[in-house]
Amino acid sequence: MHIVTPDLCDEHADQLQVLEPMLGNFGGRSAFGGEIVTVKCFEDNSLVKSQVDEPGVGKVLVVDGGGSLRRALLGDNLAEQAAINGWQGLIIYGCIRDVDVIAETELGVMAIATHPMKTEKRGIGDLNVPVTFGGVTFVPGHFVYADNNGVVVAANNLFA
């Protein structure tokens, strides 16, 4: 699957939602896509950890962290675990840390910014619920595609 979001917009504009330009690309994989799995949490990455510990082949974890700029929802250890378990990438409406290591990890990672502080682990959050940020609703089971140009969401797999 060769993902170029401008080409997807040209070919499938009527089927896509396009995320507002708000995320930077931090991962070792500059383009990625797959079936959406969601986590909704705020300054607690317990569910992010539990999900990256699961098999993720063909999937992208979309994390609605409420846009918090006070804690990092992903670090190098969780990114490495996600890569080992086959996740295509993570899209995080929040911050990450350990960006130098994540940049060398075979994983797509998009986030708002970086922050060195880890989260508290309280086990709070929701798994596989629709989440909305940046003008887009991410529905579990739909598909997301991302590259250095942006992020697009479709109800169906555009590469099937």
Side-chain angles (χ1 to χ4, degrees), residues 135-147:
V136 169
T137 299
F138 297 87
V139 177
H142 286 190
F143 291 80
V144 62
Y145 306 97
D147 66 8

Side-chain angles (χ1 to χ4, degrees), residues 88-102:
Q88 298 302 302
L90 288 91
I91 295 173
I92 300 177
Y93 184 46
C95 293
I96 66 167
R97 66 188 205 159
D98 302 315
V99 294
D100 295 331
V101 175
I102 289 174

Side-chain angles (χ1 to χ4, degrees), residues 103-127:
E104 296 187 12
T105 303
E106 185 56 33
L107 183 71
V109 177
M110 298 190 87
I112 294 175
T114 63
H115 195 288
M117 184 67 71
K118 68 181 180 177
T119 69
E120 295 180 25
K121 309 292 188 281
R122 299 181 311 261
I124 298 171
D126 297 307
L127 177 63

Side-chain angles (χ1 to χ4, degrees), residues 51-104:
Q51 285 307 290
V52 301
D53 284 343
E54 297 292 324
V57 175
K59 297 179 182 177
V60 174
L61 186 60
V62 177
V63 181
D64 179 354
S68 173
L69 300 177
R70 302 185 306 189
R71 302 280 178 156
L73 294 171
L74 180 75
D76 58 347
N77 292 332
L78 296 186
E80 180 63 27
Q81 191 62 40
I84 288 168
N85 285 326
W87 288 87
Q88 298 302 302
L90 288 91
I91 295 173
I92 300 177
Y93 184 46
C95 293
I96 66 167
R97 66 188 205 159
D98 302 315
V99 294
D100 295 331
V101 175
I102 289 174
E104 296 187 12

